[in-house]
């Protein structure tokens, strides 16, 4: 289930931002993309996810598990995303946030899976609570669970640990990378913090429009 970019390029208002490059992210692999602010890292993730908006434009192809994603809307790509901000729906409970993105199935089975995930994350009994009653670390865990329960075929991480304190940041790194490896899905992560890079992980540098090995 490799994630493959072929001749991917991005322009901003018609001017080159990222020159054409190709990348293959293997199943269970997390590739880290680093570089200065404004280099186009988040725009690249948006291109892969299918929601890149004007004034950005992209060319090239994206394939996942051998199938082209070109032209597919975001909801059909089944790509999970984690951001620096948790983006939980404030009008939904924790449980409703988790159930929102889960595949269809028997209600009792979906509920049991969500409850088991909360328990594993140390959040047993948190299902009825509204997001605003949670701490930042608890919200981050719920956001992670929501992404994983959607059964993504790939993951995109955009500064996902940036707002966490040091002990929780390391704990969340462990949970995220362990789940990615266990599920056998490819992951592309954008970060400015070299400490976020998983052990022996591959690192790419985006600078002056060029993507190269760091």
């Amino acid at each position: 289930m490799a994630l493959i970019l072929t001749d991917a390029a991005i322009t901003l208002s018609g001017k080159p931002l990222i020159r054409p490059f190709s990348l293959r992210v293997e199943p269970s692999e997390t590739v880290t993309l680093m570089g200065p602010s404004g280099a186009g890292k988040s725009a690249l993730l948006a291109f892969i996810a299918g929601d890149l908006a004007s004034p950005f434009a992209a060319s090239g192809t994206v394939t996942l598990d051998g199938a082209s994603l070109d032209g597919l809307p975001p909801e059909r790509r089944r790509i999970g995303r984690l951001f620096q901000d948790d983006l939980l729906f404030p009008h939904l409970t924790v449980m409703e946030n988790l159930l929102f993105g889960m595949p269809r199935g028997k209600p009792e089975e979906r509920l049991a899976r969500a409850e088991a995930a909360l328990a594993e994350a140390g959040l047993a009994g948190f299902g009825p609570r509204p997001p605003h009653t949670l701490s930042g670390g608890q919200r981050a865990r719920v956001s992670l669970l929501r992404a994983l329960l959607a059964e993504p075929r790939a993951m995109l991480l955009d500064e996902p640990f940036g707002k966490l304190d040091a002990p929780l940041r390391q704990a969340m790194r462990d949970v995220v990378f362990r789940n990615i490896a266990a599920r056998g899905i490819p992951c592309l992560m954008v970060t400015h913090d070299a400490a976020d890079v998983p052990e022996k992980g591959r690192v790419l540098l985006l600078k002056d429009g060029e993507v190269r090995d760091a």
Side-chain angles (χ1 to χ4, degrees):
M1 196 182 292
L3 174 66
I4 302 173
L5 306 182
T6 305
D7 294 328
I10 294 179
T11 60
L12 174 58
S13 299
K15 298 180 180 179
L17 182 63
I18 302 178
R19 297 183 182 88
F21 77 102
S22 297
L23 171 66
R24 180 185 181 96
V25 185
E26 300 292 348
S28 299
E29 181 185 21
T30 295
V31 173
T32 302
L33 181 64
M34 305 185 74
S37 298
K41 302 183 299 296
S42 294
L44 179 63
L45 297 190
F47 168 51
I48 297 170
D51 57 8
L52 185 67
S54 179
F56 296 96
S59 60
T61 62
V62 182
T63 60
L64 180 59
D65 197 20
S68 173
L69 303 185
D70 298 345
L72 287 181
E75 64 271 15
R76 291 185 57 194
R77 297 190 178 205
R78 288 184 57 193
I79 294 179
R81 300 176 78 178
L82 279 179
F83 300 90
Q84 186 172 14
D85 296 316
D86 55 71
L87 302 183
L88 298 177
F89 299 118
H91 61 290
L92 301 180
T93 66
V94 166
M95 180 58 70
E96 288 168 341
N97 266 279
L98 296 184
L99 295 174
F100 180 84
M102 289 177 63
R104 294 179 180 179
K106 294 181 179 180
E108 61 273 16
E109 293 179 354
R110 297 172 77 243
L111 185 61
R113 286 186 59 217
E115 289 177 339
L118 284 171
E120 184 180 8
L123 299 173
F126 277 59
R129 294 179 57 171
H132 76 267
T133 67
L134 307 183
S135 68
Q138 290 166 343
R139 291 172 63 96
R141 278 180 279 172
V142 173
S143 181
L144 168 62
L145 294 178
R146 185 176 64 179
L148 294 174
L149 285 169
E151 298 182 2
R153 299 188 299 159
M155 285 289 292
L156 302 176
L157 312 181
D158 196 351
E159 301 281 359
F161 314 117
K163 290 190 174 180
L164 304 177
D165 58 40
L168 183 57
R169 175 180 283 218
Q170 187 55 54
M172 285 297 294
R173 288 183 190 124
D174 293 342
V175 171
V176 169
F177 298 137
R178 183 172 67 248
N179 272 278
I180 287 169
R183 293 166 186 263
I185 58 178
C187 174
L188 181 60
M189 175 175 65
V190 162
T191 183
H192 286 96
D193 189 349
D196 288 341
V197 179
E199 185 178 1
K200 299 180 180 179
R202 184 158 49 119
V203 180
L204 303 177
L205 179 65
L206 171 55
K207 187 175 181 182
D208 298 328
E210 300 286 348
V211 177
R212 60 181 184 273
D213 290 331

